[in-house]
PDB file of all heavy atoms in Angstrom:
ATOM      1  N   LEU G1942     -35.967 -37.390   9.884  1.00 97.00           N
ATOM      2  CA  LEU G1942     -36.546 -37.254   8.552  1.00 97.00           C
ATOM      3  C   LEU G1942     -37.588 -36.138   8.519  1.00 97.00           C
ATOM      4  O   LEU G1942     -38.497 -36.072   9.358  1.00 97.00           O
ATOM      5  CB  LEU G1942     -37.184 -38.577   8.138  1.00 97.00           C
ATOM      6  CG  LEU G1942     -37.760 -38.652   6.728  1.00 97.00           C
ATOM      7  CD1 LEU G1942     -37.465 -40.006   6.109  1.00 97.00           C
ATOM      8  CD2 LEU G1942     -39.272 -38.404   6.724  1.00 97.00           C
ATOM      9  N   LEU G1943     -37.441 -35.241   7.537  1.00 98.00           N
ATOM     10  CA  LEU G1943     -38.433 -34.215   7.229  1.00 98.00           C
ATOM     11  C   LEU G1943     -38.595 -34.226   5.716  1.00 98.00           C
ATOM     12  O   LEU G1943     -37.623 -34.006   4.982  1.00 98.00           O
ATOM     13  CB  LEU G1943     -37.970 -32.832   7.710  1.00 98.00           C
ATOM     14  CG  LEU G1943     -38.911 -31.659   7.417  1.00 98.00           C
ATOM     15  CD1 LEU G1943     -40.223 -31.824   8.182  1.00 98.00           C
ATOM     16  CD2 LEU G1943     -38.258 -30.331   7.786  1.00 98.00           C
ATOM     17  N   ALA G1944     -39.785 -34.493   5.240  1.00 97.00           N
ATOM     18  CA  ALA G1944     -39.978 -34.725   3.803  1.00 97.00           C
ATOM     19  C   ALA G1944     -41.236 -34.048   3.305  1.00 97.00           C
ATOM     20  O   ALA G1944     -42.144 -33.718   4.081  1.00 97.00           O
ATOM     21  CB  ALA G1944     -40.050 -36.228   3.515  1.00 97.00           C
ATOM     22  N   ARG G1945     -41.268 -33.849   1.998  1.00 96.00           N
ATOM     23  CA  ARG G1945     -42.495 -33.355   1.388  1.00 96.00           C
ATOM     24  C   ARG G1945     -43.554 -34.456   1.477  1.00 96.00           C
ATOM     25  O   ARG G1945     -43.285 -35.633   1.212  1.00 96.00           O
ATOM     26  CB  ARG G1945     -42.235 -32.968  -0.065  1.00 96.00           C
ATOM     27  CG  ARG G1945     -41.188 -31.865  -0.203  1.00 96.00           C
ATOM     28  CD  ARG G1945     -41.132 -31.306  -1.599  1.00 96.00           C
ATOM     29  NE  ARG G1945     -40.000 -30.398  -1.759  1.00 96.00           N
ATOM     30  CZ  ARG G1945     -39.985 -29.121  -1.370  1.00 96.00           C
ATOM     31  NH1 ARG G1945     -41.059 -28.614  -0.790  1.00 96.00           N
ATOM     32  NH2 ARG G1945     -38.913 -28.369  -1.549  1.00 96.00           N
ATOM     33  N   ARG G1946     -44.750 -34.037   1.840  1.00 95.00           N
ATOM     34  CA  ARG G1946     -45.817 -35.003   2.127  1.00 95.00           C
ATOM     35  C   ARG G1946     -46.091 -35.918   0.940  1.00 95.00           C
ATOM     36  O   ARG G1946     -46.195 -37.144   1.099  1.00 95.00           O
ATOM     37  CB  ARG G1946     -47.098 -34.245   2.502  1.00 95.00           C
ATOM     38  CG  ARG G1946     -48.286 -35.143   2.815  1.00 95.00           C
ATOM     39  CD  ARG G1946     -49.566 -34.332   2.931  1.00 95.00           C
ATOM     40  NE  ARG G1946     -49.828 -33.614   1.694  1.00 95.00           N
ATOM     41  CZ  ARG G1946     -50.723 -32.632   1.574  1.00 95.00           C
ATOM     42  NH1 ARG G1946     -51.409 -32.239   2.626  1.00 95.00           N
ATOM     43  NH2 ARG G1946     -50.910 -32.031   0.410  1.00 95.00           N
ATOM     44  N   ASN G1947     -46.205 -35.353  -0.257  1.00 94.00           N
ATOM     45  CA  ASN G1947     -46.534 -36.176  -1.428  1.00 94.00           C
ATOM     46  C   ASN G1947     -45.441 -37.199  -1.717  1.00 94.00           C
ATOM     47  O   ASN G1947     -45.723 -38.309  -2.179  1.00 94.00           O
ATOM     48  CB  ASN G1947     -46.766 -35.282  -2.641  1.00 94.00           C
ATOM     49  CG  ASN G1947     -48.033 -34.450  -2.504  1.00 94.00           C
ATOM     50  OD1 ASN G1947     -48.931 -34.813  -1.741  1.00 94.00           O
ATOM     51  ND2 ASN G1947     -48.108 -33.340  -3.216  1.00 94.00           N
ATOM     52  N   THR G1948     -44.182 -36.823  -1.445  1.00 94.00           N
ATOM     53  CA  THR G1948     -43.080 -37.763  -1.664  1.00 94.00           C
ATOM     54  C   THR G1948     -43.214 -38.963  -0.736  1.00 94.00           C
ATOM     55  O   THR G1948     -43.069 -40.121  -1.157  1.00 94.00           O
ATOM     56  CB  THR G1948     -41.736 -37.065  -1.437  1.00 94.00           C
ATOM     57  OG1 THR G1948     -41.602 -35.985  -2.363  1.00 94.00           O
ATOM     58  CG2 THR G1948     -40.579 -38.027  -1.623  1.00 94.00           C
ATOM     59  N   LEU G1949     -43.498 -38.718   0.539  1.00 95.00           N
ATOM     60  CA  LEU G1949     -43.632 -39.829   1.495  1.00 95.00           C
ATOM     61  C   LEU G1949     -44.845 -40.695   1.170  1.00 95.00           C
ATOM     62  O   LEU G1949     -44.817 -41.916   1.350  1.00 95.00           O
ATOM     63  CB  LEU G1949     -43.757 -39.277   2.915  1.00 95.00           C
ATOM     64  CG  LEU G1949     -42.461 -38.942   3.648  1.00 95.00           C
ATOM     65  CD1 LEU G1949     -42.754 -38.625   5.106  1.00 95.00           C
ATOM     66  CD2 LEU G1949     -41.449 -40.065   3.550  1.00 95.00           C
ATOM     67  N   ARG G1950     -45.900 -40.070   0.712  1.00 94.00           N
ATOM     68  CA  ARG G1950     -47.091 -40.856   0.386  1.00 94.00           C
ATOM     69  C   ARG G1950     -46.823 -41.808  -0.775  1.00 94.00           C
ATOM     70  O   ARG G1950     -47.417 -42.892  -0.853  1.00 94.00           O
ATOM     71  CB  ARG G1950     -48.267 -39.929   0.060  1.00 94.00           C
ATOM     72  CG  ARG G1950     -48.901 -39.323   1.304  1.00 94.00           C
ATOM     73  CD  ARG G1950     -50.113 -38.492   0.967  1.00 94.00           C
ATOM     74  NE  ARG G1950     -50.793 -38.050   2.186  1.00 94.00           N
ATOM     75  CZ  ARG G1950     -51.838 -37.233   2.206  1.00 94.00           C
ATOM     76  NH1 ARG G1950     -52.324 -36.762   1.066  1.00 94.00           N
ATOM     77  NH2 ARG G1950     -52.393 -36.879   3.344  1.00 94.00           N
ATOM     78  N   GLU G1951     -45.971 -41.390  -1.699  1.00 93.00           N
ATOM     79  CA  GLU G1951     -45.628 -42.276  -2.810  1.00 93.00           C
ATOM     80  C   GLU G1951     -44.652 -43.364  -2.381  1.00 93.00           C
ATOM     81  O   GLU G1951     -44.751 -44.511  -2.838  1.00 93.00           O
ATOM     82  CB  GLU G1951     -45.021 -41.455  -3.943  1.00 93.00           C
ATOM     83  CG  GLU G1951     -46.016 -40.524  -4.621  1.00 93.00           C
ATOM     84  CD  GLU G1951     -45.360 -39.644  -5.666  1.00 93.00           C
ATOM     85  OE1 GLU G1951     -44.140 -39.795  -5.889  1.00 93.00           O
ATOM     86  OE2 GLU G1951     -46.055 -38.793  -6.254  1.00 93.00           O
ATOM     87  N   LEU G1952     -43.718 -43.035  -1.471  1.00 93.00           N
ATOM     88  CA  LEU G1952     -42.705 -44.005  -1.059  1.00 93.00           C
ATOM     89  C   LEU G1952     -43.244 -45.026  -0.067  1.00 93.00           C
ATOM     90  O   LEU G1952     -42.960 -46.221  -0.149  1.00 93.00           O
ATOM     91  CB  LEU G1952     -41.513 -43.271  -0.439  1.00 93.00           C
ATOM     92  CG  LEU G1952     -40.646 -42.451  -1.378  1.00 93.00           C
ATOM     93  CD1 LEU G1952     -39.662 -41.596  -0.589  1.00 93.00           C
ATOM     94  CD2 LEU G1952     -39.878 -43.374  -2.328  1.00 93.00           C
ATOM     95  N   ARG G1953     -44.006 -44.546   0.924  1.00 93.00           N
ATOM     96  CA  ARG G1953     -44.503 -45.348   2.046  1.00 93.00           C
ATOM     97  C   ARG G1953     -43.339 -45.861   2.902  1.00 93.00           C
ATOM     98  O   ARG G1953     -42.169 -45.593   2.634  1.00 93.00           O
ATOM     99  CB  ARG G1953     -45.363 -46.526   1.565  1.00 93.00           C
ATOM    100  CG  ARG G1953     -46.400 -46.196   0.515  1.00 93.00           C
ATOM    101  CD  ARG G1953     -47.416 -45.184   0.962  1.00 93.00           C
ATOM    102  NE  ARG G1953     -48.305 -45.688   2.015  1.00 93.00           N
ATOM    103  CZ  ARG G1953     -49.300 -44.967   2.523  1.00 93.00           C
ATOM    104  NH1 ARG G1953     -49.530 -43.727   2.102  1.00 93.00           N
ATOM    105  NH2 ARG G1953     -50.068 -45.468   3.459  1.00 93.00           N
TER     106      ARG G1953
END
Side-chain angles (χ1 to χ4, degrees):
L1942 184 141
L1943 179 65
R1945 299 191 188 279
R1946 180 190 59 193
N1947 292 338
T1948 299
L1949 276 189
R1950 283 184 173 175
E1951 292 175 2
L1952 290 170
R1953 314 300 292 182

